């Protein structure tokens, strides 16, 4: 139990160490890689199918060159059946073929055919099957030689290898099971039987044919799950005995009939020693034939042999395989070349491969190479992909994979070695995609974080628009109708003095205050141009269109004032709690809370808005005369004692929906043309109140008398206005006092008959 706890701690510490130095993504990717390698070792069918498809592609791109070899096929083709008669032929006719082929110089003859039952065309069997024959004719037939005996006699005078076919079961479908004669062989290394393809039983030839044959070979071959015959067993286990396939048995007999040997190691079978050479095999004793397209040059029609139409010496020194290519006999097999081929020709090509040493090779160590390659390629991707740009990652991955695929194809092309390119490529490509996906998600998260942070400086609408159209991140602007807002804190010096010993608290306070203003602007889809200390500049109708920009600006301004008022009340409540604590500690100094008052100037007009600055640093901002006027109006709010001052253009847009009152005609600093300014006192609910409408009428009369220099009537209306505003709780005291003071000054120093009623402001 203690050892398990210690092991668990070690694994945990190792995992923590790996995650610290490589990151969780890499650690998980490495664990995924190990799982992928384990799957490859298990070699599920989809991977095997993909690997075989890769080898087929190689095979089809460069089939083996067709070179003359002493291998021929004695073919029962469609023409032979047409001339000689339907299949099966009498065994006497087969015996004639053996005799003639031997006379023509055939070294050995192998049958891709099994003669498992007695010939029904033997004379005695014909007499037996036809009881109505005349007695003398029947007796004569019975005295004639048996066809199977004739064939056995022909076998005895030649080197004939009979073919045997495997069956996959031992029960229920065999009338008789004959034990197989053992094949003389030796083993070099560990017992190879566990690695061999196993067949529990075989279909043998007639005993008299087996007895006179020079050899016995298995011509069974199993296709891959997709039905393609890619491998042929050179050696296999049948009835628990090691047996050769038809083609190696044919070669063994032709080269003297010496026993064969199977060479193996701990990884499986290395090869078969035959005719004084080692024929390399896969670990299960199979070989990968390197095929050429089907060629009629290998074939000799059985009819040509039997009717003496074959050129003399055509079979001299040849190893002959007897089989069928007639369409009706259905002995065609799918091949890696993508076309079907007669089974006997596949055996012939295997024999050619063995003799010319051109078999495709897939040594046991290729699996280790593929696993190591996968580990290295995926490891490089996992280690370096997070640090590389997408372009460099894709290009470097392409170069690595192309190099490996090129190496794999070169080994096939030049060395006939089959090295799988599919699994390493797929595994590496998967690693690239997964790491790229993780990188993309990480960058997307960082982009969101940057957009969120960037949105603290400018409008989120601007951030979204720039994200969709980065081409707008260039210098230049456009002319647009904007409504601009400037705000500033009244008496900021006194507030700063309050925090002279705690500048961090002042910073925190102003951040909270500016957040309140920013939220009000953002809620109305405004663009914050910049923060200037305690001041804010914002505008509407850029970058996104807003046909209601003047009203949206007024709504934002009213909310700013209301939210700042709430903020002041919260600060006062907090200060009261602090004062209770301060009374208990006489050493702590008494602190005073200064109320934050905001002045806002709003103006509407045609401006240039866009990216302004240098080619290395620029801001999205607005320029134009309306911008300057809005800034000056914000400054005038202090003089008139009102929170929100509107320019004439803005007031004309919104006065039908907001409580707007005319204040004055002023010539602000830096402008010659006077501007009629208004106060924004509230929303539509205030505008609809009859008492407010009365205030507007009285104020309009006061301004008219003032501009006509009727000082007595102006002062009388100021007194009336003082009374009218009381029920509404409008903060017009400073405004009224300003006009009383101004009228008093004008009585002493009259402006003259040409006075236009414009007040020339001397302060910004």
């Amino acid at each position: 139990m203690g050892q398990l706890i210690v092991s668990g701690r070690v694994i945990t510490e190792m995992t923590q160490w790996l995650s610290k130095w490589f990151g969780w993504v890499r650690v998980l990717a490495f664990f995924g890689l190990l799982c992928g390698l384990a799957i490859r070792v298990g070699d599920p069918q989809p991977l095997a199918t993909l690997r075989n498809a890769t080898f087929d592609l190689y095979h089809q791109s460069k089939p083996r060159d067709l070179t003359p070899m002493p291998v021929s096929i004695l073919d029962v083709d469609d023409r032979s059946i047409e001339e000689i008669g339907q299949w099966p032929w009498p065994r006497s006719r087969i015996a004639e073929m053996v005799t003639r082929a031997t006379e023509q110089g055939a070294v050995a003859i192998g049958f891709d055919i099994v003669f498992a039952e007695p010939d029904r065309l033997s004379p005695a069997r014909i007499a037996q099957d036809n009881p109505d024959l005349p007695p003398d004719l029947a007796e004569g037939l019975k005295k004639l030689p048996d066809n199977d005996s004739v064939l056995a006699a022909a076998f005895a005078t030649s080197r004939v290898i009979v073919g045997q076919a495997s069956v996959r079961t031992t029960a229920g479908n065999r009338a008789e099971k004959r034990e197989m004669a053992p094949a003389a062989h030796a083993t070099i290394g560990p017992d190879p039987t566990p690695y061999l393809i196993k067949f529990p039983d075989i279909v043998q030839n007639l005993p008299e044919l087996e007895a006179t044959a020079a050899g016995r070979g298995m011509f069974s071959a199993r296709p891959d799950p997709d039905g393609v015959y890619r491998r042929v067993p050179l050696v296999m286990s049948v009835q628990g005995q090691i047996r050769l396939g038809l083609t190696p048995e044919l070669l063994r007999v032709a080269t003297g009939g010496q026993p064969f040997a199977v060479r193996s190691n701990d990884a499986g079978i290395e090869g078969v020693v035959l005719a004084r050479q080692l024929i390399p095999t896969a670990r299960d004793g199979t070989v990968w034939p390197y095929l050429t397209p089907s060629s009629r040059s290998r074939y000799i029609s059985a009819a040509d042999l039997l009717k003496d139409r074959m050129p003399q010496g055509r079979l001299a020194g040849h190893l002959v395989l007897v089989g069928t290519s007639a369409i009706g006999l259905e002995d065609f097999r799918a091949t890696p070349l993508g076309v079907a081929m007669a089974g006997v020709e596949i055996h012939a090509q295997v024999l050619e491969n063995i003799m010319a040493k051109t078999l495709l090779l897939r040594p046991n160590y290729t699996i280790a190479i593929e696993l190591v390659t996968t580990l290295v390629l995926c490891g490089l991707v996992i280690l370096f992909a997070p640090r590389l740009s997408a372009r460099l990652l894709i290009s470097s991955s392409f170069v690595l994979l192309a190099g490996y695929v090129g190496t794999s194809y070169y080994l096939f092309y030049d060395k006939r070695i089959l090295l799988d390119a599919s699994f390493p490529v797929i595994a590496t490509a998967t690693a690239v995609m997964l790491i790229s996906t993780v990188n993309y998600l990480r960058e997307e998260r960082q982009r969101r974080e940057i957009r969120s942070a960037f949105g603290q400086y400018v409008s989120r609408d601007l951030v979204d628009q720039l994200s969709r159209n980065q081409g707008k991140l260039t210098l230049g602007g456009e002319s647009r109708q904007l409504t601009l807002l400037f705000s500033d804190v009244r008496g900021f010096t006194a507030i700063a003095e309050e925090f002279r010993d705690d500048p961090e608290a002042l910073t925190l306070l102003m951040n909270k205050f500016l957040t309140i203003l920013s939220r009000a602007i953002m809620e109305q889809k405004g663009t914050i141009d910049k923060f200037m200390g305690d001041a804010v500049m914002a505008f509407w109708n850029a970058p996104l269109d807003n046909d209601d920009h003047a009203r949206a600006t007024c709504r934002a301004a009213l909310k700013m004032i209301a939210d700042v008022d709430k903020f002041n009340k919260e600060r006062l409540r907090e200060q009261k709690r602090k004062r209770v604590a301060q009374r208990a500690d006489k050493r702590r100094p008494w602190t005073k809370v200064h109320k934050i008052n905001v002045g806002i100037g709003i103006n509407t007009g045609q401006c240039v808005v866009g990216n302004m600055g240098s080619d290395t640093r620029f801001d999205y901002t607005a320029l134009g005369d309306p911008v300057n006027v809005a800034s000056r109006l914000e400054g005038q709010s202090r003089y008139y004692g009102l929170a929100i001052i509107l320019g004439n253009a803005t007031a004309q847009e919104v006065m039908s929906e907001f409580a707007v009152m005319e204040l004055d005609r002023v010539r602000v600093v830096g402008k010659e043309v006077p501007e009629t300014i208004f106060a924004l006192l509230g929303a539509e609910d205030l505008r609809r109140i009859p008492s407010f409408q009365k205030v507007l009428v009285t104020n309009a009369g006061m301004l008219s008398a003032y501009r006509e220099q009727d000082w007595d009537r102006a002062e009388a209306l100021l007194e009336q206005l003082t009374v009218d505003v009381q029920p509404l709780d409008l903060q017009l005291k400073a405004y009224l006092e300003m006009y009383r003071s101004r009228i008093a000054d004008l009585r002493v120093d009259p402006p003259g008959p040409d006075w236009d009623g414009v007040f020339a402001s001397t302060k910004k």
Side-chain angles (χ1 to χ4, degrees):
M1 186 67 181
Q3 292 179 346
L4 291 175
I5 294 175
V6 172
S7 300
R9 289 177 179 173
V10 170
I11 294 174
T12 302
E13 291 177 357
M14 182 176 296
T15 303
Q16 292 175 346
W17 181 83
L18 288 173
S19 65
K20 176 182 178 181
W21 287 100
F22 296 101
W24 281 110
V25 173
R26 288 192 178 99
V27 172
L28 292 175
F30 271 115
F31 277 118
L33 173 58
L34 295 179
C35 291
L37 294 177
I39 292 173
R40 172 60 187 89
V41 171
D43 200 22
Q45 187 55 50
L47 290 182
T49 300
L50 191 60
R51 179 172 62 252
N52 290 335
T54 303
F55 294 155
D56 291 350
L57 185 62
Y58 288 178
H59 211 147
Q60 294 166 22
S61 67
K62 186 183 182 298
R64 179 170 62 92
D65 295 331
L66 179 63
T67 56
M69 295 291 292
V71 176
S72 295
I73 299 171
L74 194 53
D75 184 23
V76 181
D77 56 5
D78 290 307
R79 184 159 61 89
S80 298
I81 291 176
E82 182 180 352
E83 293 186 22
I84 306 300
Q86 70 179 18
W87 185 264
W89 293 341
R91 302 280 167 81
S92 57
R93 186 59 52 86
I94 303 297
E96 183 182 356
M97 290 172 55
V98 172
T99 301
R100 286 178 177 269
T102 303
E103 291 174 350
Q104 288 287 335
V107 176
I109 303 171
F111 276 88
D112 187 24
I113 303 169
V114 179
F115 304 105
E117 300 87 12
D119 187 4
R120 297 179 62 87
L121 298 178
S122 290
R125 293 296 298 271
I126 293 175
Q128 180 181 349
D129 294 340
N130 296 273
D132 296 333
L133 289 175
D136 55 344
L137 178 58
E139 287 299 322
L141 289 173
K142 292 178 181 178
K143 293 178 181 180
L144 292 175
D146 182 78
N147 287 352
D148 291 319
S149 299
V150 172
L151 181 58
F155 282 0
T157 60
S158 182
R159 294 176 177 174
V160 174
I161 295 84
V162 291
Q164 298 174 332
S166 64
V167 293
R168 301 182 184 181
T169 181
T170 59
N173 61 350
R174 300 287 305 281
E176 177 186 2
K177 176 182 176 181
R178 300 204 321 263
E179 293 298 327
M180 180 178 59
H185 70 279
T187 58
I188 304 172
D191 180 16
T193 305
Y195 304 100
L196 294 172
I197 296 176
K198 297 175 177 60
F199 296 100
D201 198 5
I202 61 171
V203 177
Q204 301 185 57
N205 296 272
L206 295 173
E208 58 184 309
L209 299 179
E210 296 265 350
T212 56
R216 301 154 198 85
M218 304 288 299
F219 56 74
S220 296
R222 290 179 180 175
D224 289 321
D226 59 358
V228 178
Y229 286 78
R230 296 183 179 86
R231 291 174 292 172
V232 176
L234 211 61
V235 61
M236 65 200 78
S237 174
V238 182
Q239 291 183 351
Q241 297 186 29
I242 296 177
R243 298 295 301 271
L244 287 178
L246 177 63
T247 50
E249 178 70 358
L250 178 62
L251 183 62
R252 184 189 71 81
V253 171
T255 56
Q258 296 298 316
F260 66 93
V262 180
R263 186 161 145 183
S264 61
N265 55 33
D266 293 335
I269 298 172
E270 293 183 27
V272 175
V273 179
L274 184 67
R276 297 182 180 180
Q277 65 170 318
L278 175 66
I279 305 172
T281 67
R283 65 191 302 268
D284 60 355
T286 59
V287 292
W288 297 70
Y290 191 11
L291 303 178
T292 70
S294 180
S295 173
R296 295 308 304 175
S297 64
R298 295 189 179 94
Y299 290 85
I300 299 172
S301 176
D304 291 341
L305 176 65
L306 293 172
K307 294 184 176 296
D308 293 326
R309 293 197 296 261
M310 186 183 71
Q312 288 295 320
R314 172 66 178 79
L315 296 180
H318 279 227
L319 303 181
V320 178
L321 286 164
V322 181
T324 63
S325 69
I327 295 176
L329 301 181
E330 298 296 333
D331 188 30
F332 281 82
R333 304 288 184 264
T335 68
L337 294 179
V339 294
M341 186 179 294
V344 66
E345 186 172 9
I346 295 176
H347 289 299
Q349 295 215 42
V350 172
L351 190 56
E352 292 174 357
N353 287 159
I354 294 174
M355 296 173 66
K357 299 181 179 180
T358 56
L359 284 167
L360 295 176
L361 305 176
R362 184 158 170 77
N364 296 337
Y365 61 78
T366 54
I367 298 177
I369 293 176
E370 293 160 6
L371 292 175
V372 171
T373 301
T374 303
L375 180 63
V376 171
L377 291 177
C378 292
L380 290 174
V381 170
I382 293 171
L383 287 175
F384 294 103
R387 303 179 182 178
L388 301 178
S389 64
R391 180 179 299 177
L392 184 57
L393 173 61
I394 293 173
S395 60
S396 59
S397 299
F398 178 80
V399 170
L400 288 174
L401 294 180
Y404 176 73
V405 172
T407 300
S408 172
Y409 187 74
Y410 167 77
L411 291 175
F412 165 80
Y413 186 92
D414 193 65
K415 307 296 183 182
R416 305 186 317 282
I417 295 176
L418 295 174
L419 182 66
D420 180 28
S422 62
F423 180 75
V425 168
I426 291 176
T428 305
T430 301
V432 171
M433 288 189 292
L434 291 177
I435 295 295
S436 298
T437 301
V438 171
N439 286 348
Y440 174 79
L441 294 176
R442 182 189 294 115
E443 290 177 2
E444 184 67 16
R445 185 192 66 199
Q446 294 174 347
R447 190 179 297 113
R448 287 196 300 269
E449 292 174 353
I450 292 172
R451 289 176 63 182
S452 178
F454 193 39
Q456 304 299 319
Y457 298 92
V458 298
S459 167
R460 292 187 183 274
D461 294 327
L462 174 59
V463 176
D464 292 337
Q465 190 180 77
L466 293 179
S467 298
R468 293 190 298 267
N469 187 2
Q470 296 183 8
K472 291 190 175 183
L473 285 171
T474 56
L475 292 176
E478 59 178 328
S479 178
R480 302 190 72 156
Q481 185 84 2
L482 302 181
T483 298
L484 304 110
L485 179 149
F486 280 81
S487 74
D488 197 7
V489 175
R490 300 285 171 260
F492 181 74
T493 302
I495 297 174
E497 180 69 17
E498 177 185 339
F499 294 91
R500 61 183 180 275
D501 297 327
D502 193 358
E504 292 182 358
L506 176 62
T507 302
L508 180 61
L509 173 66
M510 294 312 299
N511 286 339
K512 291 180 179 179
F513 165 73
L514 293 174
T515 299
I516 292 173
L517 302 188
S518 299
R519 286 175 179 171
I521 295 170
M522 295 296 188
E523 287 178 7
Q524 295 300 323
K525 306 299 183 183
T527 298
I528 297 177
D529 186 302
K530 59 178 67 72
F531 294 102
M532 300 163 286
D534 58 326
V536 178
M537 173 185 172
F539 51 81
W540 277 256
N541 200 33
L544 302 181
D545 294 335
N546 186 344
D547 296 335
D548 196 35
H549 54 89
R551 295 173 181 82
T553 308
C554 291
R555 287 192 291 267
L558 290 173
K559 182 170 177 54
M560 291 166 68
I561 297 301
D563 290 347
V564 169
D565 184 57
K566 292 179 182 178
F567 182 60
N568 284 327
K569 292 177 180 178
E570 291 175 1
R571 291 184 65 226
L572 288 172
R573 286 194 294 268
E574 179 66 23
Q575 188 62 24
K576 289 179 180 179
R577 289 193 292 268
K578 291 182 179 180
R579 286 177 179 176
V580 173
Q582 287 177 344
R583 291 193 186 102
D585 187 356
K586 302 298 183 179
R587 295 172 298 176
R588 297 181 62 182
W590 187 266
T591 57
K592 180 180 178 181
V593 174
H594 288 86
K595 182 180 179 181
I596 298 178
N597 293 311
V598 178
I600 297 174
I602 299 174
N603 190 39
T604 300
Q606 199 74 18
C607 304
V608 175
V609 61
N611 297 316
M612 310 294 177
S614 68
D615 56 359
T616 58
R617 172 70 171 89
F618 49 81
D619 293 321
Y620 188 81
T621 188
L623 300 176
D625 183 65
V627 179
N628 299 327
V629 172
S631 176
R632 300 293 184 266
L633 294 181
E634 177 272 317
Q636 295 302 311
S637 65
R638 181 186 298 107
Y639 178 70
Y640 289 91
L642 293 166
I644 306 172
I645 304 296
L646 305 180
N648 183 60
T650 306
Q652 298 305 318
E653 286 283 337
V654 304
M655 62 173 49
S656 62
E657 296 182 21
F658 291 86
V660 175
M661 185 180 76
E662 183 179 351
L663 298 180
D664 200 357
R665 296 183 68 210
V666 300
R667 186 176 291 106
V668 297
V669 176
K671 282 186 63 67
E672 294 297 328
V673 179
E675 178 81 14
T676 302
I677 63 174
F678 297 78
L680 178 61
L681 299 176
E684 187 172 6
D685 54 349
L686 176 61
R687 185 184 67 84
R688 291 179 177 179
I689 298 176
S691 56
F692 178 73
Q693 293 297 324
K694 183 179 179 181
V695 168
L696 293 182
V697 172
T698 303
N699 182 69
M702 185 274 294
L703 291 176
S704 177
Y706 169 77
R707 290 164 184 162
E708 293 172 359
Q709 303 186 40
D710 188 349
W711 312 125
D712 293 336
R713 188 164 68 92
E715 286 181 336
L717 290 173
L718 281 173
E719 296 305 322
Q720 181 62 44
L721 193 58
T722 303
V723 175
D724 292 344
V725 300
Q726 288 178 357
L728 299 175
D729 194 27
L730 295 177
Q731 303 300 317
L732 296 180
K733 182 178 179 180
Y735 167 72
L736 298 175
E737 290 299 329
M738 181 272 295
Y739 266 104
R740 290 190 184 100
S741 176
R742 189 185 293 180
I743 291 172
D745 292 338
L746 291 174
R747 283 181 184 275
V748 175
D749 185 15
D754 58 347
W755 182 57
D756 57 4
V758 175
F759 174 72
S761 176
T762 59
K763 297 181 179 180
K764 296 184 178 181

